[in-house]
């Protein structure tokens, strides 16, 4: 059915929904993009630089080891003693059976501590492990 | 204060509607602001948890490459100690000749995490298919 042509002197009585749809899309976009960030602890971490890019967009459980030694699993601060239990709780959540566990350690952290974090993740049942890096955009010499 | 002149009903609206343009621009700004830190964060996959140690060792010695990161700044490639700067020249040909291209990495306790990641990143860049990290 063709719409009735509007006469030039006729008032527009329909509600303009374009602005409300635009604002709604803005909110949806903000939520979509910020959701992954909300699951990462806000700790000072200087990630090591690397060229390798793997599993960038994959959902994961993150273990953060800050430059000051603080630990966190996702966005929850934990102690070293409670680390393994905290990881296990995350891995036992529905749908997290084969989830990637990413260790986000500061570049200055001694490797022995990173190895302990990897061991804790393995002990808690992690099947897939990765170390987080900061994308190095410089070309190889 | 002067009152607005009433617009006749037959007069058209000639100002462009800026609302959609501003909204779309704000979306782009928000996406760029929030996505930039995430775009620069990546990760390097390590061989599956069960492969640590024993399973990594089960790969035939001829098919795997042993890599050690030493605290003195050198690296050990299949029992041959070389300076860190010579890693690419040493490891590259070995990876080319290797079928499985599995690299088993050991790292001394005092090595900074950044150096460890630098070595496995270089191994990946040179063509390593899998990186297995050996524990204590």
């Amino acid at each position: 059915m063709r719409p009735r042509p509007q006469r030039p002197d006729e008032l527009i009585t329909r509600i303009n929904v374009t602005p409300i749809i635009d604002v709604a899309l803005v909110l949806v976009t903000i939520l979509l993009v910020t959701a992954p960030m909300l699951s990462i602890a806000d700790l000072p971490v200087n990630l090591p630089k690397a060229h390798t890019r793997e599993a960038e967009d994959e959902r994961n459980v993150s273990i953060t080891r800050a430059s000051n030694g603080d630990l966190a699993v996702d966005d929850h601060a934990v102690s070293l003693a409670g680390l393994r239990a905290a990881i296990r709780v995350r891995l036992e959540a529905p749908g997290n059976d084969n989830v990637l566990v990413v260790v986000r350690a500061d570049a200055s952290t001694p490797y022995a501590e990173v190895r302990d974090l990897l061991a804790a993740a393995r002990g808690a049942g992690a099947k897939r492990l990765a170390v987080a890096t900061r994308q190095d955009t410089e070309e190889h010499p | 204060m002067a009152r607005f002149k009433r617009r006749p009903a037959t007069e058209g609206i000639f100002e462009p509607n800026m609302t959609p343009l501003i909204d779309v621009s704000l979306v782009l700004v928000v996406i760029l602001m929030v996505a930039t830190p995430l775009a620069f964060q990546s990760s390097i996959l390590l061989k599956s948890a069960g492969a640590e140690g024993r399973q990594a060792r089960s790969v035939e010695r001829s098919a795997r490459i042993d890599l050690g990161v030493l605290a003195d700044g050198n690296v050990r490639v299949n029992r041959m100690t070389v300076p860190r700067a010579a890693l690419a020249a040493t490891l590259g040909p070995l990876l080319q000749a290797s079928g499985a291209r599995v690299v088993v990495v050991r790292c001394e306790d005092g090595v900074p995490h950044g150096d460890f990641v630098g070595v496995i990143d270089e191994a990946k860049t040179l063509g390593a298919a899998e990186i297995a990290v050996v524990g204590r």
Side-chain angles (χ1 to χ4, degrees):
Chain A
M1 195 173 77
R2 295 180 64 185
R4 186 168 58 92
Q6 197 167 18
R7 286 187 305 177
D9 58 342
E10 197 173 336
L11 287 173
I12 300 169
T13 52
R14 287 165 293 179
I15 298 170
N16 183 9
V17 294
T18 310
I20 197 167
I21 291 172
D22 283 342
V23 171
L25 285 175
V26 172
L27 294 175
V28 168
T29 309
I30 291 171
L31 285 174
L32 280 173
V33 180
T34 56
M37 292 192 74
L38 297 176
S39 64
I40 294 176
D42 185 22
L43 293 173
V45 180
N46 176 29
L47 293 176
K49 278 186 171 184
H51 290 91
T52 308
R53 303 178 71 158
E54 292 177 327
E56 283 185 312
D57 301 323
E58 199 171 330
R59 197 170 61 83
N60 59 60
V61 171
S62 67
I63 305 168
T64 305
R65 197 276 184 193
S67 53
N68 57 7
D70 288 347
L71 289 171
V73 175
D74 285 342
D75 54 343
H76 293 279
V78 294
S79 64
L80 186 59
L83 179 65
R84 191 172 292 205
I87 301 168
R88 186 172 286 124
V89 167
R90 291 291 186 290
L91 294 176
E92 284 173 354
N96 279 359
D97 183 40
N98 201 31
V99 76
L100 181 69
V101 176
V102 179
V103 174
R104 302 176 69 246
D106 194 273
S108 62
T109 307
Y111 176 71
E113 292 185 30
V114 177
R115 185 172 51 205
D116 290 345
L117 298 181
L118 292 170
R122 285 182 177 117
K127 293 174 183 163
R128 299 168 62 226
L129 285 170
V131 287
T133 60
R134 186 159 43 101
Q135 193 58 46
D136 190 354
T137 51
E138 291 172 20
E139 291 295 318
H140 279 294
Chain B
M1 196 173 76
R3 299 183 67 180
F4 290 109
K5 189 173 68 154
R6 189 185 173 85
R7 200 197 319 248
T10 54
E11 198 175 327
I13 301 169
F14 295 109
E15 310 110 64
N17 183 8
M18 299 297 286
T19 311
L21 183 66
I22 293 169
D23 282 343
V24 171
S25 307
L26 284 175
V27 173
L28 294 175
V29 168
V30 169
I31 290 173
L32 285 174
M33 282 177 66
V34 180
T36 300
L38 290 176
F40 289 108
Q41 182 176 321
S42 185
S43 59
I44 299 176
L45 290 172
L46 305 177
K47 199 166 163 63
S48 57
E52 187 215 359
R54 272 164 291 180
Q55 190 173 332
R57 286 188 197 112
S58 70
V59 179
E60 277 188 45
R61 179 165 285 280
S62 59
R64 76 177 200 222
I65 297 164
D66 287 317
L67 193 60
V69 188
L70 309 179
D72 60 8
N74 293 326
V75 287
R76 188 183 299 127
V77 184
N78 283 349
R79 297 182 182 176
M80 182 171 62
T81 303
V82 296
R84 173 70 177 79
L87 176 63
T90 313
L91 184 60
L94 290 173
L95 280 169
Q96 297 292 324
S98 168
R101 288 185 293 145
V102 173
V103 177
V104 179
V105 182
R106 288 176 179 79
C107 188
E108 290 188 348
D109 285 355
V111 175
H113 177 55
D115 293 352
F116 164 70
V117 169
V119 169
I120 60 174
D121 180 42
E122 194 155 351
K124 279 273 182 181
T125 309
L126 289 167
E130 282 183 342
I131 302 282
V133 179
V134 178
R136 290 179 196 281

